[in-house]
Amino acid sequence: MKISDALNEDELSRLAIHTVKVGDVYEITMTEANGIKPKAGDSSRDKYFVVLGFDSTGIAYGGVIINSQINKNLPAHLRMYHMPIKHSKYPFLRYDSFVDCVRLKMAYPHKFDEWNFLGAIDDYDLELIIGTIKESPAESEEHLSLFGL
């Protein structure tokens, strides 16, 4: 029996609020509602989500995703907002990857029982990631402030 089997949605959300920390990395199934465009024919994609902040109500978490490659269709001025991250430093990665710091994505704790904790980003890299997303021309101060950034 999983702990989530014994908890209702509100209890799962409260558990997430007290468990999830900035810098934590989770594998999460994401959809367009989270800001992820699934591949043709799919309704969702499993992504590695790095938590960067929380909204004031605890209903949504802001963060960035880790991709294995930079989307070649992105304009060059946005590709530069992808921070390289090494498998040798973060063993939960399957291979060297990139943190997409173009735009914050959102995740919702009501599905916390479906999240798979992978590890955490160290303080040095976390500061670089937060600094990079704050500089992104595709992100607004208002949106960042929703998540305490």
Side-chain angles (χ1 to χ4, degrees), residues 2-16:
K2 297 187 319 186
I3 192 168
S4 61
D5 294 337
L7 301 175
N8 64 37
E9 203 170 280
D10 286 341
E11 292 166 329
L12 277 172
S13 290
R14 283 196 302 275
L15 177 63

Side-chain angles (χ1 to χ4, degrees), residues 56-102:
S56 61
T57 63
I59 293 175
Y61 297 167
V64 291
I65 58 168
I66 299 173
N67 290 317
S68 57
Q69 301 174 17
I70 299 173
N71 182 342
K72 306 245 186 293
N73 296 321
L74 280 177
H77 76 280
L78 293 180
R79 277 187 249 149
M80 62 189 276
Y81 292 92
H82 287 73
M83 190 181 107
I85 188 168
K86 298 283 188 186
H87 166 72
S88 59
K89 186 171 185 179
Y90 298 104
F92 57 81
L93 295 172
R94 292 185 191 118
Y95 25 72
D96 294 347
S97 299
F98 298 88
V99 180
D100 177 350
C101 299
V102 173

